[in-house]
Amino acid sequence: MADCLFCKIAAREIPGDIVHADERLIAFGDINPQAPTHVLIIPRRHISTLNDLTAGDTDLVGEMVHLASRIAADRGHAAAGYRTVFNCNAAAGQTVFHIHLHLLAGRDMTWPPG
Ligand code: AMP
Ligand code: ZN
């Protein structure tokens, strides 16, 4: 999608701290990290919000979650724990309208989230 920040990072048209890239997914460091590890996992294909997922996207979303768990494990966070978050639309605070899974780790989290 022409004017999408995360499509541009996936296409390497603008810089990103890319920590993983494969045929379907990219992962990169969040520019404003909220934890010692704060990585965003996105599909290369533009999908604006979780509301736009179709039944055919089930495997893709599963791959996103699995990649988050692998990055967490690679960084030594598996045993202590970590958080994964999808924000959808305004009430959840979504600001970039290309779906992304936040992986947050390296500190204790509070619950419920704000
Ligand atoms: P959300 O509020 O769920 O839409 O999350 C969007 C996230 O994208 C925020 O945590 C931002 O800090 C992050 N972000 C915005 N611009 C960039 C960028 N150029 N590179 C990396 N992360 C970004
Ligand atoms: Zn996009």
Side-chain angles (χ1 to χ4, degrees):
M1 196 189 195
D3 270 337
C4 172
L5 176 64
F6 286 178
C7 281
K8 288 178 179 168
I9 290 175
R12 305 200 186 219
E13 289 170 10
I14 64 169
D17 172 23
I18 294 176
V19 299
H20 174 93
D22 63 39
E23 281 184 6
R24 277 153 62 92
L25 304 180
I26 300 277
F28 52 94
D30 195 291
I31 205 167
N32 183 22
Q34 301 301 308
T37 287
H38 188 172
V39 171
L40 303 175
I41 293 121
I42 68 168
R44 286 186 184 272
R45 179 162 60 86
H46 182 87
I47 301 170
S48 296
T49 79
L50 290 190
N51 294 331
D52 301 299
L53 291 173
T54 68
D57 296 324
T58 305
D59 285 354
L60 182 68
V61 174
E63 287 172 26
M64 293 171 72
V65 176
H66 189 203
L67 178 57
S69 76
R70 278 161 36 219
I71 294 170
D74 287 348
R75 295 185 177 201
H77 300 302
Y82 53 90
R83 182 167 290 169
T84 54
V85 177
F86 280 108
N87 293 321
C88 181
N89 273 343
Q94 185 176 3
T95 58
V96 178
F97 288 84
H98 178 134
I99 62 166
H100 46 280
L101 179 60
H102 294 260
L103 166 63
L104 297 141
R107 66 170 172 83
D108 290 340
M109 308 283 162
T110 59
W111 193 265

